[in-house]
């Protein structure tokens, strides 16, 4: 098994952004006086999504989802200032660049580019797909298919790498390979091509 191209998720895969994301979400819950356990909320946003958590909060409080979503994103942007990449991120990005190409898919705007630049990692990416391009969200394969078609990426040599089931599903839906970065040891129902627990485990896959 040997790959050339990596399509990366950002949050929870390349960068350890979830602690700040969780704290912002907990603050929104507290603001609306809804008690919630941090561990349970973390599992919910990892196994499903922050939008699912906010929709549940909207149903509980009667506050509009759009209002809650705006409150969350304002808090997260104010506090997510210098997120750090996971150990081994720079090494595997450099390794992939030697053989093929790195791409990034993120629901964020240009903030992801800023975070990468802070650590000198933006140089490794051929293209970064952000929310500004308005592709359907994963697990829809639209953004992956766009990259595969634009750069003539072979499905057998291209892998989607992410920390949630929807990343794996997006890879499967696009017909490429998939890696589940199981940093929290959380089971998922879908079957990835490969499961890893630290980024260094990817190095042999790009030999």
């Amino acid at each position: 098994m040997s790959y050339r191209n990596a399509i990366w998720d950002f949050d929870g895969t390349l960068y350890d952004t979830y602690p700040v994301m969780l704290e912002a979400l907990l603050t929104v819950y507290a603001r609306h006086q809804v008690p919630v356990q941090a561990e349970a909320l973390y599992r919910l946003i990892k196994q499903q999504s922050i939008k699912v958590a906010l929709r549940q909060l909207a149903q509980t409080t009667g506050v509009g989802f759009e209002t809650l979503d705006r409150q969350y994103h304002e808090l997260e942007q104010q506090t997510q200032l210098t997120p750090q990449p996971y150990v081994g991120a720079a090494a595997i990005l450099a390794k992939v660049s030697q053989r093929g190409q790195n791409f990034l898919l993120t629901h964020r705007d240009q903030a992801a580019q800023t975070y990468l630049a802070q650590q000198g990692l933006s140089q490794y990416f051929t293209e970064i797909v952000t929310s500004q391009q308005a592709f359907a969200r994963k697990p829809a394969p639209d953004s992956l298919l766009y990259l595969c078609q634009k750069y003539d990426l072979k499905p057998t040599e291209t892998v989607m790498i992410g920390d949630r089931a929807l990343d794996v599903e997006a890879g499967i839906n696009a017909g490429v390979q998939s890696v589940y970065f199981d940093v929290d040891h959380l089971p998922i129902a879908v079957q990835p091509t490969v499961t890893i627990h630290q980024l260094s485990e990817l190095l042999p896959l790009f030999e």
Side-chain angles (χ1 to χ4, degrees):
M1 183 184 304
S2 182
Y3 303 130
R4 294 181 60 86
N5 310 298
I7 303 176
W8 297 89
D9 171 58
F10 184 81
D11 292 292
T13 300
L14 278 175
Y15 274 65
D16 187 14
T17 52
Y18 269 87
V20 172
M21 292 163 66
L22 177 62
E23 191 61 35
L25 192 57
L26 286 167
T27 299
V28 175
Y29 270 71
R31 180 179 293 176
H32 295 280
Q33 301 180 332
V34 176
V36 63
Q37 292 186 340
E39 182 178 351
L41 188 59
Y42 180 72
R43 291 179 68 93
L44 175 62
I45 65 177
K46 287 285 285 193
Q47 294 183 313
Q48 295 192 54
S49 70
I50 286 175
K51 288 193 179 297
V52 168
L54 290 173
R55 287 193 181 98
Q56 290 182 4
L57 183 60
Q59 291 178 345
T60 300
T61 62
V63 178
F65 167 78
E66 292 78 9
T67 297
L68 296 173
D69 190 54
R70 183 176 63 255
Q71 291 175 356
Y72 162 74
H73 280 100
E74 287 175 352
L75 283 167
E76 200 265 346
Q77 289 171 8
Q78 291 167 7
T79 52
Q80 192 82 261
L81 301 177
T82 56
Q84 298 300 304
Y86 281 101
V87 173
I92 184 58
L93 289 172
K95 184 65 174 284
V96 173
S97 292
Q98 293 172 0
R99 278 184 55 83
Q101 301 177 84
N102 288 294
F103 303 92
L104 184 71
L105 300 182
T106 177
H107 69 277
R108 293 183 181 274
D109 55 19
Q110 290 301 316
Q113 175 84 41
T114 300
Y115 298 149
L116 289 167
Q118 287 174 349
Q119 303 294 329
L121 300 181
S122 57
Q123 62 177 313
Y124 295 118
F125 288 89
T126 300
E127 182 166 341
I128 296 173
V129 176
T130 72
S131 61
Q132 293 171 311
Q133 285 155 282
F135 285 109
R137 294 173 70 94
K138 294 175 291 186
D142 305 40
S143 55
L144 285 86
L145 293 174
Y146 156 77
L147 291 173
C148 289
Q149 293 167 4
K150 181 175 179 179
Y151 296 97
D152 194 24
L153 307 180
K154 294 182 179 179
T156 56
E157 297 179 345
T158 303
V159 60
M160 174 71 213
I161 305 168
D163 67 301
R164 293 189 292 163
L166 59 81
D167 298 308
V168 175
E169 291 170 0
I172 292 171
N173 292 339
V176 301
Q177 311 307 300
S178 58
V179 168
Y180 174 41
F181 182 27
D182 187 12
V183 67
D184 298 302
H185 299 275
L186 293 174
I188 57 175
V190 66
Q191 182 63 48
T193 313
V194 178
T195 296
I196 62 169
H197 300 288
Q198 51 188 3
L199 293 182
S200 60
E201 295 173 54
L202 289 169
L203 292 169
L205 303 182
F206 288 87
E207 293 290 351

